[in-house]
Amino acid sequence: MTTVMGICRSFHDRALARFFHCFPCLSDPARRSSWGLKVTLVMLHLIFVGILFVFDGDLIETTKKEPCYVFDVMRAVNETNVICQKSSMASKQPASSQNGSLNVVIEGSQSGRNFQGSNPSSWTKLVMDMYPPGTSIRSCTCSYCNVEQPPRAKHCHDCDKCVLQFDHHCLWLGSCVGQDNHCKFWWYICEETALCLWTGILYIMYLKANISRAWWKDAIMILLLIALSIVIIFLLLLLLFHSYLVLTNQTTYELVRRRRIPYLRRIPERVYPFSKGICRNLYNFCCVRSSIYSLEPLPSSQELEEKARPYTCLDILACRCC
């Protein structure tokens, strides 16, 4: 029995010595304890997150925030309209908001109103009211989806759907960026920029402390730092660009293809037709509930003239830009 225990102990000592030979950083008890604590913390995070994914089967789907599609809003509006008409005919009273109520906010001072279930209206009439009088319904109809598009909507050929406030189709995320997920996309860019900046600072600190050691390590770190710097510059420019779009209530598609969009062709370049001021734009971008569909009608000629008027000192003191 003693011989067997001795053999097992000797095998254990040889295996431990070989392990420490392969990983010399763990030969020190203090460093081994530190590494053990770090591994334990990582495992705890994996366990907690893993349990969430095991018990909540819809977790992945709920975290994937897709934009608002025109077809979904049109179907919801028409279904709510049918329910309200049936309820009104049955009770001869306006239908209550509990029977298929839908929140569709039509912004703008020209026709600022809410479409609730108690106010029956078809999708076609709702869309045409947001365009100037005399607009042909054919010019507002998508040739692919065959649905009437409200202003700022566009058909995405990758998703094969019309998107409200279409910004662009992101290849990295695999979906469109538009109403309901543009804010999340901005925060995603902001987090990626902060992470890359923090990583770049760590690289610079390492090179400052170890620049005179192994030259091949320094060469690898410098090459990675150069690549990381290019990524940081791209992310910073992208973050600034989308911040500018948020402050002026524009989309990438509207800014790049302005001369190809029929209702934006005659508007001067420096006039932002859908802007409501910096503060209001930020509030609508960050704080509006995702359960509300926001539709923006085209501004009237008087509103465009007001937006095109240059700022004066009195306008700045009166916070006209906000």
Side-chain angles (χ1 to χ4, degrees):
M1 188 68 179
T2 305
T3 306
V4 173
M5 291 181 63
I7 294 174
C8 291
R9 185 175 299 174
S10 176
F11 177 77
H12 176 267
D13 293 340
R14 287 199 303 269
L16 198 61
R18 183 174 298 177
F19 178 79
F20 287 149
H21 179 73
C22 296
F23 301 98
C25 60
L26 298 179
S27 59
D28 186 9
R31 299 183 67 180
R32 187 163 62 244
S33 177
S34 176
W35 274 96
L37 179 61
K38 294 176 182 178
V39 172
T40 303
L41 290 175
V42 171
M43 292 302 298
L44 284 175
H45 283 83
L46 292 177
I47 290 172
F48 278 106
V49 175
I51 290 176
L52 275 177
F53 278 97
V54 169
F55 286 97
D56 190 357
D58 299 329
L59 181 62
I60 298 179
E61 296 299 326
T62 54
T63 53
K64 289 182 179 179
K65 190 63 176 178
E66 292 186 344
C68 291
Y69 296 116
V70 175
F71 182 78
D72 296 334
V73 186
M74 180 193 70
R75 182 175 56 187
V77 168
N78 290 334
E79 289 178 354
T80 306
N81 183 40
V82 172
I83 292 174
C84 292
Q85 287 180 350
K86 290 182 180 179
S87 301
S88 299
M89 293 176 62
S91 62
K92 295 183 180 181
Q93 293 180 357
S96 65
S97 60
Q98 296 177 355
N99 296 327
S101 174
L102 178 70
N103 290 326
V104 178
V105 177
I106 302 178
E107 299 182 353
S109 59
Q110 181 182 2
S111 59
R113 55 191 173 88
N114 291 352
F115 177 82
Q116 297 288 341
S118 58
N119 185 16
S121 176
S122 66
W123 173 253
T124 303
K125 184 178 183 302
L126 194 70
V127 171
M128 295 309 298
D129 286 345
M130 290 184 283
Y131 287 95
T135 303
S136 173
I137 190 174
R138 182 176 297 178
S139 62
C140 307
T141 304
C142 177
S143 58
Y144 300 95
C145 300
N146 199 26
V147 298
E148 294 81 9
Q149 293 179 336
R152 313 194 72 182
K154 182 189 177 295
H155 183 85
C156 176
H157 296 280
D158 296 289
C159 299
D160 199 23
K161 292 180 181 179
C162 291
V163 182
L164 287 178
Q165 292 185 16
F166 176 82
D167 188 88
H168 71 284
H169 183 87
C170 183
L171 297 176
W172 300 102
L173 300 180
S175 69
C176 284
V177 177
Q179 187 179 121
D180 249 15
N181 68 343
H182 196 180
C183 181
K184 293 182 180 293
F185 178 76
W186 187 92
W187 281 111
Y188 168 72
I189 300 174
C190 184
E191 292 170 358
E192 289 292 331
T193 305
L195 179 62
C196 289
L197 285 173
W198 179 62
T199 307
I201 292 173
L202 293 180
Y203 269 67
I204 294 173
M205 292 173 61
Y206 172 84
L207 290 173
K208 282 185 177 181
N210 304 277
I211 194 65
S212 60
R213 297 187 182 180
W215 65 269
W216 59 273
K217 290 184 179 180
D218 295 338
I220 294 176
M221 296 294 287
I222 290 173
L223 289 176
L224 292 176
L225 183 59
I226 293 173
L228 186 62
S229 301
I230 298 174
V231 174
I232 291 174
I233 293 173
F234 170 76
L235 287 174
L236 281 174
L237 293 176
L238 187 63
L239 182 64
L240 292 175
F241 173 71
H242 277 273
S243 300
Y244 165 74
L245 294 178
V246 171
L247 294 177
T248 55
N249 195 13
Q250 296 185 93
T251 63
T252 303
Y253 172 70
E254 292 171 347
L255 183 65
V256 175
R257 303 285 184 177
R258 185 159 182 155
R259 292 304 173 190
R260 296 188 179 183
I261 302 175
Y263 53 83
L264 295 180
R265 288 174 183 170
R266 299 181 179 179
I267 300 177
E269 291 288 342
R270 296 297 180 182
V271 177
Y272 312 117
F274 301 106
S275 178
K276 303 170 185 64
I278 295 175
C279 296
R280 182 74 182 277
N281 293 338
L282 285 174
Y283 175 79
N284 291 339
F285 184 78
C286 302
C287 304
V288 172
R289 293 179 299 170
S290 60
S291 59
I292 297 178
Y293 298 110
S294 178
L295 303 179
E296 299 182 68
L298 294 177
S300 63
S301 57
Q302 293 81 5
E303 291 174 334
L304 289 176
E305 290 178 2
E306 179 66 21
K307 293 177 184 293
R309 184 168 59 88
Y311 287 97
T312 62
C313 296
L314 292 177
D315 292 331
I316 296 175
L317 292 177
C319 298
R320 177 190 160 199
C321 60
C322 299

